[in-house]
Amino acid sequence: MRLADWLKENGRTATWLAEQVGRDQSFITRVKNGSAMPSIEVAAAIQRVTSGQVTAVDYLPTASSADPVSLTAEGAAA
């Protein structure tokens, strides 16, 4: 499940999720919008917070997504 979809379906915001995973709201917004890739640590934290509904696999680019080379990985260090 896409992060944006999970947040919408569960009535949560990027700000709320950022607080839960200990990252900046602007970074979580970029992850939600698909313009940034979370580190494996952040992806794991998101997976825990979403009870496994959003997994690391959900961030893998598809043929119809943005150029994966332009995506940035962030969030490894707090």
Side-chain angles (χ1 to χ4, degrees):
M1 170 179 275
R2 291 175 37 95
L3 180 57
D5 296 333
W6 187 90
L7 291 169
K8 184 176 181 178
E9 288 179 16
N10 289 278
R12 300 295 186 171
T13 64
T15 300
W16 175 87
L17 182 60
E19 292 171 0
Q20 301 304 305
V21 300
R23 297 296 184 256
D24 186 71
Q25 178 271 326
S26 64
F27 172 66
I28 297 298
T29 297
R30 291 193 316 272
V31 170
K32 179 185 86 167
N33 294 337
S35 63
M37 291 279 288
S39 66
I40 193 66
E41 293 86 3
V42 174
I46 292 170
Q47 184 170 329
R48 281 191 300 276
V49 170
T50 64
S51 300
Q53 292 182 343
V54 178
T55 68
V57 173
D58 296 315
Y59 301 107
L60 295 177
T62 62
S64 63
S65 68
D67 178 12
V69 175
S70 68
L71 298 176
T72 59
E74 296 183 32

